[in-house]
Amino acid sequence: SPGLAVRAGAALDAGNAVVVAAPARESSGASAALLGAERDGRLAVEPRSAPGLPDDVTSYAVRAAPALIAFVAAYGGFGPRPDLVLSGANKGANTGNAILHSGTVGAALSAMTHGIRSLAVSVDAAEPRHWDTARLVTDHVLAWMDRSADDVPLDRRTLNVNVPDVAPDRLRGLRQAPLASFGLVQANIHEDGDRHLVLQYSGTERHSEPDSDTGLLTRGWATATLLVAPYADASVDIPTLPPLAWRPPRGGAGCTPGARRREARGGGG
């Protein structure tokens, strides 16, 4: 896809050796699921040529969720363990707390949990027209990641980037942004007359949080958000439960309550 060419091309031009491993089918909403299809007990992987990339770039179509592909890569499944995982560029924004459900972000987080630097890139359009803008932003953030490698522990963070689908000269720039309270799409659930649950998706109000990633993206900014997950919050104390004192059964060692009752009635018989 054009989005794949954006991320791989940026990595190549930055001087990286690139291996492409991408889901064989659409994986939106896969989150960080470790789902995959097997063939004869093995993960189904097929060599493919990647459109828009040099012929010498090794490419695979993998019948698996994006996070499982990153997981397998971390263990050398597609060659040497990578130093960097690029996920995307996804068609459609991944903003707000809704990134929890994103397969694009899920793959980057999967890599991060294995100590691998990772970048997720998404374009705010179902059918983007300005992939050159996504490439411009990707080049910029990759250069920053390389410069910051010795100062910022990026192997324990994921960088989530969203790009508006505008021409490069219409891009307002890139800004670091907090997550919106949800995202660009939210779900409403109600029960119909047959007691079935009906799930409806609707767009959220983009302007309700103007300084969030969703709000800035809507106003023409590319956004960058550093993510840390899984995250253990130690700011609240949870009361401990002390170990309970162990006491042997009252009937003595090896004597169950049932056997003791039978003895009281006069023995086994």
Side-chain angles (χ1 to χ4, degrees):
S1 71
L4 187 151
V6 165
R7 70 180 182 192
L12 283 169
D13 287 352
N16 297 287
V18 172
V19 173
V20 174
R25 62 187 62 181
E26 174 62 40
S27 297
S28 292
S31 188
L34 298 180
L35 297 176
E38 293 184 355
R39 184 182 298 131
D40 298 327
R42 299 178 180 178
L43 186 64
V45 179
E46 298 179 4
R48 293 277 181 89
S49 59
L53 294 177
D55 292 338
D56 59 350
V57 173
T58 302
S59 302
Y60 301 102
V62 188
R63 295 185 61 187
L68 178 57
I69 295 175
F71 182 93
V72 171
Y75 287 93
F78 306 110
R81 172 186 166 94
D83 299 314
L84 172 69
V85 166
L86 278 71
S87 184
N90 186 65
K91 294 180 179 180
N94 281 303
T95 61
N97 291 336
I99 61 170
L100 173 69
H101 309 289
S102 165
T104 301
V105 177
L109 290 173
S110 178
M112 183 212 63
T113 61
H114 290 86
I116 299 173
R117 294 180 303 148
S118 58
L119 168 65
V121 179
S122 303
V123 181
D124 188 19
E127 293 296 334
R129 296 181 300 159
H130 301 286
W131 289 109
D132 50 346
T133 306
R135 174 61 190 271
L136 172 70
V137 174
T138 302
D139 287 342
H140 173 77
V141 294
L142 274 181
W144 173 78
M145 292 176 74
D146 285 339
R147 292 195 308 269
S148 304
D150 296 330
D151 302 320
V152 181
L154 293 176
D155 57 340
R156 301 306 304 168
R157 292 172 171 83
T158 286
L159 185 59
N160 184 42
V161 171
N162 285 275
V163 184
D165 189 32
V166 298
D169 61 351
R170 299 289 303 276
L171 180 69
R172 298 184 67 179
L174 173 76
R175 286 180 58 180
Q176 187 168 357
L179 295 174
S181 57
F182 192 76
L184 292 178
V185 176
Q186 65 181 4
N188 297 308
I189 301 176
H190 67 274
E191 191 174 291
D192 64 13
D194 296 325
R195 300 188 63 80
H196 294 134
L197 294 179
V198 179
L199 182 63
Q200 296 178 329
Y201 293 97
S202 60
T204 61
E205 177 53 62
R206 285 174 172 252
H207 299 283
S208 61
E209 297 173 289
D211 293 324
S212 70
D213 55 354
T214 299
L216 290 169
L217 183 65
T218 301
R219 287 153 47 203
W221 293 89
T223 64
T225 306
L226 279 171
L227 308 174
V228 179
Y231 174 73
D233 185 358
S235 64
V236 177
D237 291 331
I238 301 172
T240 60
L241 177 65
L244 301 177
W246 182 83
R247 289 176 291 185
R250 291 167 56 184
C255 180
T256 65
R260 193 164 185 267
R261 285 195 295 270
R262 288 196 297 272
E263 290 173 358
R265 292 197 300 268

